[in-house]
Amino acid sequence: MSATSIVLLVGVCSFWVAAGMMAALFGRTRKALESVEKTLERVRSDLSQLTPVLSDTFMEMEKTGREVGQTAAEVKVLARRVNAGSGASIVSSTVNYLPAALTVLKIIKPLFEKKKSRK
């Protein structure tokens, strides 16, 4: 066997070893990309499920904010009437604003229950 044959044999063997390593590398890369694709699909699915829930939550927060603002305005009016000093008007105002007070209690009660359940 001549030196040229040996060099050629080493070159051919090196080529096939490099080609095998590249094929293995491409195979691993493909598996990794498929795994990433599956993960992204799961994330996309989870986001599509959470989007309506978040939308409803924000709508409820907006509604609650409006109700709290309305209740605060009513409490402000009640406080002005109480400060005016008329006893009969205080009693009648209390009866008029009793539903507003009950609404405030209904809003605040779940907040305290959540804090108790966390402890």
Side-chain angles (χ1 to χ4, degrees), residues 78-92:
L78 178 63
R80 285 183 185 162
R81 287 187 182 175
V82 168
N83 289 336
S86 171
S89 67
I90 291 174
V91 172
S92 67

Side-chain angles (χ1 to χ4, degrees), residues 64 67-68 71 98-114:
T64 303
E67 290 175 354
V68 167
T71 304
L98 188 60
L102 291 175
T103 303
V104 169
L105 289 175
K106 286 180 183 177
I107 291 172
I108 294 174
K109 185 179 177 182
L111 297 174
F112 287 110
E113 290 176 355
K114 288 179 183 177

Side-chain angles (χ1 to χ4, degrees), residues 9-24:
L9 181 63
V10 169
V12 169
C13 289
S14 297
F15 171 77
W16 286 112
V17 168
M21 290 177 69
M22 290 298 285

Side-chain angles (χ1 to χ4, degrees), residues 39-81:
T39 303
L40 287 175
E41 188 61 37
R42 275 188 267 138
V43 168
R44 188 177 300 125
S45 173
D46 290 346
L47 283 176
S48 68
Q49 290 175 357
L50 286 176
T51 301
V53 173
L54 288 174
S55 175
D56 290 342
T57 302
F58 288 135
M59 288 172 53
E60 287 297 320
M61 286 175 61
E62 181 181 352
K63 180 180 171 185
T64 303
R66 278 188 264 123
E67 290 175 354
V68 167
Q70 181 181 4
T71 304
E74 291 173 356
V75 167
K76 188 175 180 181
V77 169
L78 178 63
R80 285 183 185 162
R81 287 187 182 175

